[in-house]
Amino acid sequence: MTILVTGGAGFIGSNFVLDWVAETGEAVVNLDKLTYAGNPANLASLEGSPLHVFVRADIGDSDTVAKLLRKYNIRAVVNFAAESHVDRSIHGPGEFIQTNVVGTFRLLDEARSYWGELPHDKQRDFRFLHVSTDEVYGSLKPLDPAFKETNPYEPNSPYSASKAASDHLVRAWHHTYGLPVLTTNCSNNYGPYHFPEKLIPLCILNALNDKPLPIYGDGQQVRDWLYVKDHCAAIRRVLEAGEVGETYNVGGWNEKANLEVVNAICSILDELKPRRDGKPYAAQITFVTDRPGHDRRYAIDASKLERELGWKPSETFETGIRKTVQWYLDNTEWVSTVTSGEYRKWIDTNYGSR
Ligand code: NAD
Ligand code: DAU
């Protein structure tokens, strides 16, 4: 049996592929366009493995998707492929519509025709799992209860609107055509292979390079952090036992204000790799112009996934962030390859005028 993973060279996708091969021993066909966010080096440990086939392609390339589904007798599709960074969606929303909406539509439609040709037992067992985000639910007030699967969709950024649109397409392909879909809506991930445009890896690397730690606005925006390997385990569990047509919220019960997150990173670095001048890394914190339309708070109620499928996160924020900081200290070669070229242009675009 083989599964098709899309976006498997990105942050969560590559963690998922590594975790899948190690935990299940089942083969993966990994389709990834290798945008700036895709990095085959994340999968270097699978080089030569018969359990991993890498194909550079776009999820919107219907011919390639159609061929791969049939050639490898795919039994499930796990769709990570997306443009994922909110700030980039503000600077240029076009790619987000193209990949997250049009690309998901094309992938879904190819999955539907393939599924329609399968014999009955294989049709019954086929799954299309769509990986989505808590951002589709909008922004919470300080005392609001955490997002449940029944919350209305209220996306506020071009990124979250494009993900919301893709979730609706997935839902419709189930209700209209019967495609056996599952959707997961997860909170903020962090951990190994996280591209350093996002808050946590950006601040770890800026701290180590004597650069400012840019905090948007007042730094009191709240995110609910989940260690990436816990997200991978949740997806494995939903794929195995989730009820077709259902959505599952995934989160770590770890709500933190951004300033608290950055201070936690600084304290761990003070301990593991003190600054040469003896000052605390927190001295590098700098408040900069806020993100337009910045959502104030996200929080996930993951009780459905816990109750119905028995999943629970295994890391707390404290254990996960320590492992993450250590990973960046240990993987300097990976860091230097991802922080060259295009990456520098992005840093100028996003931070140059703040
Ligand atoms: P990422 O940006 O690190 O990786 C995205 C991957 O998709 C890259 O490898 C990229 O090359 C690939 N890709 C982009 N466009 C493609 C296309 N048209 N065809 C094929 N491949 C394409 O993203 P991530 O943080 O790993 O997120 C993965 C998924 O999880 C996304 O769908 C995102 O919306 C969702 N998600 C992310 C988080 C988070 O905190 N990072 C939380 C919840 C949900
Ligand atoms: O909630 C899930 C989402 O989490 C995913 O769907 C997205 O793909 C993922 O990128 C992430 O979105 P955020 O916008 O929450 O993540 P980011 O790391 O960009 O920002 C986290 C918080 O930190 C947010 O409130 C903005 C703030 N921030 C971010 C950067 C890059 C700063 O204050 N300074 C920064 O330089």
Side-chain angles (χ1 to χ4, degrees), residues 63-321:
D63 289 347
T64 300
V65 170
K67 280 185 196 134
L68 291 176
L69 288 167
R70 288 163 184 81
K71 177 172 176 190
Y72 293 100
N73 296 315
I74 295 296
R75 71 161 184 98
V77 176
V78 183
N79 182 31
F80 291 96
E83 288 294 334
S84 70
H85 191 33
V86 174
D87 291 315
R88 285 185 191 256
S89 82
I90 295 166
H91 286 276
E95 277 302 307
F96 287 72
I97 304 303
Q98 204 50 43
T99 285
N100 301 1
V101 186
V102 179
T104 303
F105 152 66
R106 294 216 173 112
L107 182 69
L108 263 176
D109 225 32
E110 284 313 318
R112 175 172 75 95
S113 4
Y114 167 69
W115 169 76
E117 294 165 8
L118 292 173
H120 177 72
D121 57 331
K122 292 207 164 137
Q123 263 193 1
R124 186 197 54 213
D125 295 342
F126 184 82
R127 296 289 180 271
F128 184 103
L129 191 152
H130 180 60
V131 180
S132 193
T133 170
D134 58 359
E135 300 201 10
V136 298
Y137 298 121
S139 184
L140 293 168
K141 299 213 163 48
L143 298 177
D144 285 346
F147 299 127
K148 283 186 180 296
E149 290 80 358
T150 47
N151 272 57
Y153 271 35
E154 292 177 351
N156 291 319
S157 72
Y159 163 69
S160 55
S162 68
K163 289 297 289 186
S166 68
D167 293 8
H168 291 322
L169 292 172
V170 171
R171 176 188 160 90
W173 259 240
H174 173 63
H175 281 265
T176 304
Y177 304 114
L179 185 70
V181 306
L182 296 156
T183 300
T184 53
N185 293 88
C186 190
S187 62
N188 284 61
N189 284 216
Y190 66 101
Y193 305 115
H194 204 180
F195 192 75
E197 62 187 352
K198 308 280 167 68
L199 179 72
I200 287 182
L202 180 92
C203 285
I204 297 171
L205 299 185
N206 277 14
L208 292 170
N209 289 307
D210 294 326
K211 292 188 178 151
L213 309 181
I215 304 284
Y216 296 167
D218 63 2
Q220 293 309 313
Q221 303 82 4
V222 171
R223 297 292 182 265
D224 185 351
W225 293 96
L226 181 68
Y227 192 61
V228 64
K229 289 176 200 287
D230 280 327
H231 187 190
C232 296
I235 293 172
R236 250 194 297 117
R237 184 67 190 136
V238 171
L239 194 55
E240 178 182 55
E243 196 176 323
V244 164
E246 287 295 306
T247 68
Y248 295 89
N249 281 356
V250 189
W253 308 102
N254 280 308
E255 282 187 63
K256 305 269 175 218
N258 294 336
L259 199 51
E260 197 184 340
V261 168
V262 175
N263 273 311
I265 292 168
C266 290
S267 306
I268 296 170
L269 283 173
D270 287 339
E271 189 191 315
L272 298 181
K273 202 171 193 297
R275 267 172 49 148
R276 276 188 301 274
D277 62 6
K279 287 192 184 151
Y281 282 98
Q284 289 166 236
I285 289 176
T286 312
F287 291 88
V288 299
T289 309
D290 208 351
R291 173 186 280 175
H294 199 171
D295 284 338
R296 196 70 184 162
R297 174 178 166 236
Y298 305 139
I300 275 282
D301 179 338
S303 54
K304 176 177 172 183
L305 179 57
E306 295 186 0
R307 192 177 58 247
E308 294 184 9
L309 302 185
W311 171 88
K312 263 194 174 22
S314 58
E315 301 289 346
T316 62
F317 182 73
E318 288 66 30
T319 59
I321 194 70

